[in-house]
Each structure stands twice: as C-alpha cells, then as structure tokens.
Amino acid sequence: MNGSTNNSGWLGDEPDVDEGSQPKLEQPEAGTAGTGTTDDKGKLPKSTVACQLPEEHGGKMMTCILPILMKIGDRICQMILVINIWFYSEIIITDVYMYMMIQEVIRGTKDVLSLAQGVVYWQPPKPALDKVKELVWEPSVSRYGADEGLPELREALVRKLRQENNLHKSSVMVTAGANQAFVNLVLTLCDAGDSVVMFAPYYFNAYMSFQMTGVTNILVGPGNPKTLHPDEDWLEKTLRETKPTPKLVTVVNPGNPSGTYIPLPLLKIAYPTEVAGFGAQLLKIQDNIPICAAIISQRLALYSLEVGPEWVTEQVKDLVKNRAIVLEALSPLGDDAVKGGEGAIYLWAKLPDKCVDDYEVIRWLATKHGVVVIPGSACGCPGHLRISFGGLLEDDCRVAAARLRKGLEELARDGMVH
Ligand SMILES: Cc1ncc(COP(=O)(O)O)c(C=O)c1O
C-alpha cells in the first residue's frame, strides 16, 4: 500500500463506516503496491505481494479499496477489501467503441436515420419466433447447456455449412455472436505482446479485440486500391520478414466494412487445418465468459435454420433495392469513390480530398442532415465512410438516402457549412 489511506479504526468492533460511502480509488506508483494479511490491529498490511506484471512490459496497477460490512456469526464487522488490478496500459487505450460513439453522436439530435449499424431490418422467421414463444416456460431455457452449444443446433449448422457453403470438414462451437467468437479466438491463439495481421479497411471491433487482450502489435496491411482485397505480396513479405512470425492473419469475407467479396483462390493463401489442443482452449474461454450462448437464442437459431435457406434468399431480394437506392445517394462523390456492396450490406466511400476529418463529417451529417454513417478512421482509413444499407425498410431507406445525397452534394460543393 502506498500509505495514503487513514486506516485507524477500520478493524474495530463497532462499525463506523458510512454504508453508502464510495470505494476509494488510488493509483499508486508502479512497483510500490501490494496486498497481504493484516499484521497490526487497526493497520493496513504492508506490501507483501510481488509484482506479477512489471512495468517494463507496459504494466500499471490500480488499487481499489472497498469498505465493506461483513456478518461473522451474529456480529457485523467492518472490513476492507483491497483489490490490486494490474493491467497493461495499452489495454485501456483502445479505439472508441463504434456503436457507443454513434449513440453519442445522435444523442440530442432529433429524427436521425441510421445507415450506420450493420444489421438487417427483418426479424427471425415468424414460425421460429412462434415456436420460441411457447418455450419460455420450459425449465431448460433458464439453465446452462453444453458450453459448445446445443448438439442439435451444432449438427444443423454443420449440415448447413456442407449443403449451402460447400464446407465439408467443419466443427462448430456456438457463441453469443461473431464478436464473442472472435474474442474467443484471440484469447486462444494470442498472448500479450504478439504481433498479428489485419488489412485496411479493417473491422473496428476485431481491432479492439486485439488491443483489449494486450495484442498491441497490430500490423495493418494495405488493400488493393481497386478491389480492396488484401494485398497478397505485402502479406507474404510481412510473414517472411517479421520476427517472431505474426500469430495470426485476420481476413473478413464478405468484407466488413468494405462490403466486398474475396474470391476463393485468394482466400486459400494459408491456414492450418488442425491446431493441437485448439478445441479444448476454446472451450476453456467459453466456460469463463458466457458458459454457453443463451439457450433460448440457440433454440431460435435452430428453428430458423429449419425454415430453410429460401426464406433468407427471399429477404435478401429487398436488400438489392436498398443497395441501388444508397448507391445513387453516394453519386455526388464520383464513380470511383464508391466500392463494395457485392458481398455484404456495406458500401465503402471515399470522401472528397478536402474532408480529412471523417469524424467531423459524420457529426455534421447527423446534426445537419439527420443521417448517420460510420467514419472510415475507425477502420484504419481516414477520409472514408462505411454506409450500411441493410437496416431500414425501403421507404425509410429512401428518406435516409435522400438526406445523405443532399449532405454529400453540399459537402462536395461547399464543404461542411454549419
Ligand atoms: C466481421 C464481423 N464480426 C463481428 C460482427 C458482429 O456480429 P455479432 O453481432 O454476431 O457479434 C460483424 C457484424 O456484422 C462482422 O461483420
């Protein structure tokens, strides 16, 4: 402890702690803090614990001191709980999490339409929702299930991958979404200080997953300026020359945020078909975070798969209309400025050269024109925008697109006039 706390009376018999008092936060100088058992009545312990993560590795420590009341037998005792939290300084210096930032941009702005979030506007199929409605009273949906997911859902997913995606050697673990799946992989495959590879424009949450877990040596490779596909030559050179060799290469297909589709031959660059102990490590992480994805969601996923692929194909037809509407709205930026949209629900657009600060542009579009999109800086590409065309029904999409077009026309002509 760094001695700044007045400890007198903390272990006295009669409680004199204000139960509502806030825990004190201290940030002692690195290397001076520790915890231990109490050696003197009424005094906090001297430093007894060796530092686990020395500062030369970027470690910093925060000490939380929490006054608590504890019932021992029929006596109430005052105690303090000292929690030393070591963290790598880089872990907390992550990029701003995008959806929080977007919420902040639109807070207080009335009538904003979103072309930001990467979602589709439809709900799961009605027959699947109806079945789930009947399930809520079933005890199993309020319990944990197998960490790796419901066996019948995993089987259905492996079947789907074989029949619809021509993937024949899949094994599946069910997670609470793709973001969690990605974090599971990073925690399994990487250690703090490793280097990894991504390509710009990259998916912002994946970048932050690396940062949060201490993988701060993120080598960002270029995309082909025409196609936005990963630059193979750069990758080969980087893997050959970087020592130690980067732990993993991240490629997102279909692309987010680019919306592009990388053809199969390019994807076959290299990946291991088997990694020893991989499944067991993944399970360990799963068991420590959600234990299992919510059972009710897994049952909903299973019932949705049972409806068959035609249902999704039908839904996607509407997205083709939305894409045409949004593409037209981006035309003030010029033909070459817009890419993607063939693989996923995103278009990727280059702003006029004079618009370097894309964060400012998205704030201006939200406040002046009532439409919100994602800034390219969040994906490693300042001066660009990601526009999602999946989240709105056609009529709303038309309104949002008209606002976007008006804003971009103004931007190209006069700049950001407030
Ligand atoms: C590459 C990628 N990872 C993660 C996500 C987030 O997915 P989820 O909502 O399933 O966590 C998305 C969403 O579009 C994505 O494109």
Side-chain angles (χ1 to χ4, degrees):
M1 288 303 310
N2 64 342
S4 62
T5 312
N6 176 4
N7 307 318
S8 56
W10 279 94
L11 296 175
D13 287 341
E14 292 300 320
D16 63 356
V17 178
D18 172 9
E19 279 183 69
S21 66
Q22 292 298 307
K24 292 174 192 161
L25 292 182
E26 294 182 0
Q27 187 132 18
E29 284 169 29
T32 61
T35 58
T37 51
T38 307
D39 48 9
D40 288 323
K41 192 173 183 302
K43 295 245 174 76
L44 279 177
K46 296 193 181 83
S47 173
T48 55
V49 172
C51 305
Q52 301 294 312
L53 301 170
E55 195 173 33
E56 60 266 29
H57 292 144
K60 284 261 185 303
M61 197 187 76
M62 182 176 77
T63 305
C64 299
I65 302 179
L66 307 172
I68 57 169
L69 296 177
M70 209 174 190
K71 202 158 180 249
I72 300 176
D74 54 0
R75 287 162 66 91
I76 293 188
C77 300
Q78 297 170 84
M79 300 190 81
I80 58 160
L81 191 61
V82 182
I83 308 172
N84 284 341
I85 305 168
W86 274 99
F87 50 85
Y88 285 115
S89 51
E90 292 89 342
I91 291 176
I92 52 165
I93 307 169
T94 59
D95 283 32
V96 178
Y97 29 117
M98 194 38 51
Y99 291 127
M100 289 292 288
M101 194 216 99
I102 294 298
Q103 281 164 24
E104 185 258 317
V105 166
I106 59 180
R107 197 167 295 140
T109 312
K110 283 196 198 114
D111 183 30
V112 178
L113 287 171
S114 176
L115 296 172
Q117 231 175 23
V119 288
V120 288
Y121 62 80
W122 59 77
Q123 286 183 283
K126 187 171 180 311
L129 285 172
D130 283 343
K131 276 195 192 167
V132 159
K133 212 160 56 182
E134 287 159 23
L135 265 185
V136 290
W137 293 106
E138 204 181 280
S140 69
V141 301
S142 307
R143 299 201 180 116
Y144 293 129
D147 286 27
E148 60 270 47
L150 295 175
E152 55 273 43
L153 174 58
R154 293 173 60 225
E155 275 163 32
L157 286 166
V158 168
R159 214 168 27 249
K160 184 245 181 242
L161 289 169
R162 193 175 54 240
Q163 290 168 355
E164 294 175 33
N165 306 91
N166 202 22
L167 293 170
H168 293 268
K169 286 189 194 161
S170 313
S171 52
V172 169
M173 177 184 288
V174 181
T175 60
N179 274 347
Q180 195 227 321
F182 193 83
V183 172
N184 284 8
L185 286 170
V186 176
L187 288 170
T188 300
L189 296 172
C190 303
D191 295 310
D194 281 347
S195 64
V196 294
V197 170
M198 300 183 88
F199 287 92
Y202 51 72
Y203 178 58
F204 38 85
N205 283 159
Y207 191 87
M208 271 182 279
S209 300
F210 287 129
Q211 287 180 312
M212 287 189 309
T213 44
V215 181
T216 48
N217 191 9
I218 306 169
L219 310 172
V220 178
N224 177 313
K226 281 212 177 95
T227 60
L228 300 180
H229 298 159
D231 184 328
E232 279 175 276
D233 298 336
W234 179 91
L235 179 61
E236 272 190 51
K237 187 168 183 295
T238 303
L239 292 180
R240 203 175 41 245
E241 292 177 3
T242 310
K243 297 288 174 260
T245 309
K247 269 283 177 67
L248 61 87
V249 177
T250 312
V251 177
V252 178
N253 196 38
N256 182 359
S258 67
T260 54
Y261 179 75
I262 307 170
L264 208 54
L266 182 56
L267 268 186
K268 283 189 176 151
I269 301 166
Y271 58 86
T273 51
E274 221 171 297
V275 181
F278 187 51
Q281 289 301 316
L282 278 173
L283 270 181
K284 186 172 78 183
I285 287 152
Q286 180 86 336
D287 202 61
N288 276 278
I289 304 180
I291 298 182
C292 65
I295 301 295
I296 199 153
S297 305
Q298 294 196 55
R299 298 285 283 268
L300 179 57
L302 179 61
Y303 299 146
S304 300
L305 281 170
E306 284 167 3
V307 173
E310 301 75 22
W311 185 87
V312 178
T313 309
E314 204 48 43
Q315 302 296 123
V316 169
K317 283 184 188 156
D318 286 348
L319 294 182
V320 176
K321 267 190 242 162
N322 277 13
R323 180 177 59 190
I325 294 164
V326 175
L327 260 177
E328 201 278 328
L330 294 169
S331 57
L333 297 175
D335 287 343
D336 286 346
V338 182
K339 305 204 182 318
E342 76 274 21
I345 52 174
Y346 309 109
L347 290 161
W348 182 249
K350 186 182 174 313
L351 289 167
D353 287 341
K354 60 188 171 191
C355 305
V356 185
D357 189 346
D358 47 39
Y359 276 99
E360 267 314 298
V361 172
I362 67 132
R363 282 206 166 82
W364 177 80
L365 283 171
T367 49
K368 182 155 186 203
H369 293 279
V371 62
V372 63
V373 294
I374 297 276
S377 292
C379 313
C381 292
H384 289 76
L385 301 177
R386 185 194 84 172
I387 307 99
S388 167
F389 53 81
L392 297 174
L393 281 160
E394 186 181 331
D395 285 353
D396 286 336
C397 186
R398 281 188 194 284
V399 179
R403 293 178 185 185
L404 184 63
R405 183 180 176 118
K406 190 158 172 278
L408 294 177
E409 275 169 354
E410 195 178 318
L411 192 69
R413 193 181 54 237
D414 311 320
M416 272 185 288
V417 179
H418 289 274

